[in-house]
Amino acid sequence: MAKVLEDLKNNLFVYIYSDDHLPPHVHVFIGRKKSRSDKDIKISLGNNEIPPEIITAHPKIKIIDIKKAWEFVADNQDQLLISWEKIHGSEKLEKGGH
C-alpha cells in the first residue's frame, strides 16, 4: 500500500494498494491510517470524461468528510490516475477505465 496524497488541512490521507483490483480507485482515510481495516472512503477515479465516484464509505464517517474526500480526489484526479498507473501499470488502467 502506498500513501499517494494527503490534505493536512482536512486531515485526509489517500492510499492506493499495490494488490488492489479494478476499477482504478483510491482509499481515503480521515486521519492517519494505522491498519488496512481502518474506516475509509473508497472512490473510483473515473477518467478524463467521467468524474470520480464514491464506491463505499464506512457508515461512521461524517457526510461532510465524505464530501471533502470526494472534492479532494476530484481536484487531484489526473495526479491520482498517474499514481494508479505507476503502481499497477498502464494495461490495468486501460482495462479499468469507464
Side-chain angles (χ1 to χ4, degrees):
M1 95 188 93
K3 180 176 71 170
V4 293
L5 202 57
E6 60 185 41
D7 174 359
L8 296 177
K9 177 184 170 197
N10 290 302
N11 203 25
L12 301 173
F13 298 85
V14 182
Y15 287 80
I16 295 174
Y17 297 134
S18 60
D19 63 346
D20 223 336
H21 54 82
L22 295 172
H25 64 279
V26 295
H27 296 263
V28 182
F29 293 85
I30 312 302
R32 296 202 183 268
K33 180 178 175 335
K34 296 178 182 114
S35 77
R36 194 168 182 164
S37 64
D38 285 354
K39 300 178 283 190
D40 72 338
I41 305 160
K42 188 158 79 169
I43 303 174
S44 70
L45 293 176
N47 58 37
N48 291 335
E49 299 167 4
I50 299 171
E53 181 179 332
I54 304 291
I55 298 172
T56 61
H58 191 281
K60 291 191 177 187
I61 296 176
K62 297 175 185 174
I63 296 295
I64 188 75
D65 290 328
I66 295 170
K67 182 180 177 187
K68 287 178 185 178
W70 183 88
E71 289 172 348
F72 186 58
V73 169
D75 289 346
N76 293 282
Q77 181 179 28
D78 291 340
Q79 179 182 344
L80 292 168
L81 284 166
I82 290 167
S83 295
W84 176 275
E85 184 176 353
K86 285 180 183 176
I87 293 168
H88 292 284
S90 60
E91 183 176 304
K92 199 166 186 181
L93 178 64
E94 291 166 11
K95 287 181 182 175
H98 289 82

